[in-house]
């Protein structure tokens, strides 16, 4: 469909209508191909909470989902809804949506030539990648708390630090389970190459979750990650991010940044089998 934002109510929250009826047969075919590819890769790789969320939403292989229908299921489960946006939105707008339990999802889908690489999120990344975990009550609360924390970080001039937490958890997080390492990050579950690489390649570092360590760590947006951070549970993540970050931001001013893929003496490295 066209990338031109559709006429809306003139709202300043960047929300547009999804325009589900405007998707072409090619758009739905791209969704189906991506969906089938990832669905084959994710059992045994994605965490159970993600797989349960995907099943619970009934996001199916048949085509790009209608946000209203998904939102009705999501809202009954965790109080979240999906709103359509034309692409990346300003930080304050993004955090305001999250704090109000609205997930802004891009409405357009990539072209067939872009199956493996995209600079910006499209509807497949946003919906297939992010929405299933919003069905999990703890993760759903974490995302809303992140929205409130984002508004505060903006006021404190600390957003670059907090953005790293989103990157290394929401987008590229791994989780340790009784069955082994699993994926929960949306940037991984929506990527063919990364969903195998993050668990199986000997190249990237896998480091046990440490909040301040993450907020010191730079990240790259143009390639597979050099390092991942591993949580033990969503409860652990929620508890560790519960305190007021204001003093942490002060502490971070005295700590150097760490390049992606570096290992510090105090890091707990996690080996793959
Ligand atoms: N507790 C954080 C703060 O005070 C808010 C937050 C929660 C940030 C969860 C990220 C994730 O800023
Ligand atoms: Co994303």
């Amino acid at each position: 469909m066209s990338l031109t934002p559709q006429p809306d109510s003139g709202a300043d929250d960047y929300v547009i209508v999804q325009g589900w009826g405007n998707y072409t047969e090619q758009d739905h075919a791209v969704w189906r191909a991506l969906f089938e590819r990832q669905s084959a890769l994710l059992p045994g790789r994605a965490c159970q909470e993600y797989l349960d969320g995907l099943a619970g939403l009934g996001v199916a292989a048949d085509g790009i989902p209608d946000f209203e229908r998904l939102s009705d299921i999501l809202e009954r489960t965790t109080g979240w809804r999906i709103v359509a946006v034309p692409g990346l939105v300003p930080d304050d707008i993004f955090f305001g949506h999250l704090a109000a339990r609205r997930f802004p999802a891009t409405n357009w889908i990539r072209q067939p030539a872009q199956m493996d690489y995209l600079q910006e999120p499209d509807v497949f990344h946003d919906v297939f990648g992010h929405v299933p975990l919003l069905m999990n009550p703890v993760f759903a609360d974490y995302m809303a708390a992140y929205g409130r924390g984002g508004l505060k970080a903006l006021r404190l001039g600390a957003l670059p630090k907090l953005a790293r937490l989103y990157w290394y958890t929401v987008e590229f997080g791994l989780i340790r389970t009784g069955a082994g390492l699993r994926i929960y990050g949306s940037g991984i579950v929506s990527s063919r190459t990364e969903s195998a690489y993050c668990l199986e390649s000997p190249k990237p570092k896998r480091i046990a979750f440490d909040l301040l360590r993450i907020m010191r760590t730079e990240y790259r947006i143009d390639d597979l990650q050099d390092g991942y951070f591993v949580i033990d549970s969503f409860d652990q993540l929620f508890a560790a991010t519960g305190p007021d970050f204001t003093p942490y931001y002060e502490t971070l001013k005295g700590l150097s940044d760490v390049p992606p893929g570096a290992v510090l003496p105090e890091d707990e490295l996690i080996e793959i089998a």
Side-chain angles (χ1 to χ4, degrees), residues 88 94 103 121 125-126 129-130 166-167 170-172 186-187 190:
L88 294 174
F94 181 67
F103 188 76
H125 168 77
D126 279 341
H130 285 280
Y166 192 88
W167 187 264
V170 177
E171 294 290 349
F172 290 96
S186 53
S190 62

Side-chain angles (χ1 to χ4, degrees), residues 164-226:
R164 294 167 175 172
L165 177 64
Y166 192 88
W167 187 264
Y168 285 114
T169 61
V170 177
E171 294 290 349
F172 290 96
L174 298 180
I175 183 166
R176 246 188 307 206
T177 79
L181 271 190
R182 293 289 184 270
I183 303 161
Y184 73 91
S186 53
I188 309 176
V189 293
S190 62
S191 159
R192 172 174 61 170
T193 40
E194 197 137 12
S195 48
Y197 166 91
C198 72
L199 297 176
E200 289 143 41
S201 169
K203 197 169 158 231
K205 304 295 189 293
R206 299 166 185 88
I207 300 170
F209 176 87
D210 177 320
L211 180 63
L212 286 183
R213 168 69 162 88
I214 289 178
M215 291 203 282
R216 293 173 63 188
T217 309
E218 297 161 347
Y219 59 86
R220 51 189 309 175
I221 62 168
D222 60 338
D223 203 351
L224 299 169
Q225 300 301 301
D226 296 309

Side-chain angles (χ1 to χ4, degrees), residues 85-107:
V85 291
L88 294 174
V89 301
D91 295 324
D92 58 328
I93 303 289
F94 181 67
F95 296 135
H97 282 304
L98 296 186
R101 301 177 95 86
R102 286 189 300 265
F103 188 76
T106 306
N107 71 336

Side-chain angles (χ1 to χ4, degrees), residues 124 172 196 266:
F124 184 74
F172 290 96
E266 58 269 32

Side-chain angles (χ1 to χ4, degrees), residues 7-262:
D8 64 18
S9 54
D12 53 12
D13 59 4
Y14 286 72
V15 171
I16 58 174
V17 293
Q18 184 191 4
W20 191 82
N22 299 332
Y23 293 119
T24 64
E25 197 32 57
Q26 176 187 287
D27 293 333
H28 288 298
V30 168
W31 173 281
R32 278 196 295 276
L34 291 166
F35 186 97
E36 279 160 21
R37 199 166 79 172
Q38 291 314 109
S39 306
L41 282 167
L42 293 179
R45 290 197 175 93
C47 67
Q48 199 54 46
E49 291 88 343
Y50 172 86
L51 296 170
D52 288 347
L54 188 63
L57 283 167
V59 178
D62 25 291
I64 302 169
D66 180 341
F67 291 178
E68 285 298 308
R69 194 187 66 75
L70 281 192
S71 293
D72 290 342
I73 300 169
L74 191 54
E75 188 166 23
R76 267 184 263 125
T77 312
T78 58
W80 278 75
R81 292 193 71 84
I82 304 163
V83 292
V85 291
L88 294 174
V89 301
D91 295 324
D92 58 328
I93 303 289
F94 181 67
F95 296 135
H97 282 304
L98 296 186
R101 301 177 95 86
R102 286 189 300 265
F103 188 76
T106 306
N107 71 336
W108 57 271
I109 194 155
R110 67 194 76 183
Q111 296 295 306
Q114 304 168 299
M115 293 295 281
D116 290 315
Y117 182 74
L118 266 191
Q119 291 266 0
E120 280 194 74
D122 72 342
V123 65
F124 184 74
H125 168 77
D126 279 341
V127 172
F128 185 90
H130 285 280
V131 177
L133 268 185
L134 291 173
M135 292 282 279
N136 178 272
V138 180
F139 193 83
D141 287 348
Y142 173 67
M143 286 287 277
Y146 187 93
R148 293 191 295 276
L151 293 169
K152 183 167 70 187
L154 269 177
R155 285 195 302 273
L156 296 173
L159 189 54
K161 308 289 185 206
L162 186 68
R164 294 167 175 172
L165 177 64
Y166 192 88
W167 187 264
Y168 285 114
T169 61
V170 177
E171 294 290 349
F172 290 96
L174 298 180
I175 183 166
R176 246 188 307 206
T177 79
L181 271 190
R182 293 289 184 270
I183 303 161
Y184 73 91
S186 53
I188 309 176
V189 293
S190 62
S191 159
R192 172 174 61 170
T193 40
E194 197 137 12
S195 48
Y197 166 91
C198 72
L199 297 176
E200 289 143 41
S201 169
K203 197 169 158 231
K205 304 295 189 293
R206 299 166 185 88
I207 300 170
F209 176 87
D210 177 320
L211 180 63
L212 286 183
R213 168 69 162 88
I214 289 178
M215 291 203 282
R216 293 173 63 188
T217 309
E218 297 161 347
Y219 59 86
R220 51 189 309 175
I221 62 168
D222 60 338
D223 203 351
L224 299 169
Q225 300 301 301
D226 296 309
Y228 299 93
F229 288 92
V230 183
I231 62 170
D232 288 313
S233 67
F234 294 115
D235 286 322
Q236 177 206 20
L237 176 61
F238 190 70
T241 52
D244 181 0
F245 284 9
T246 309
Y248 298 169
Y249 296 142
E250 283 307 311
T251 304
L252 285 163
K253 287 181 187 163
L255 295 171
S256 56
D257 281 348
V258 181

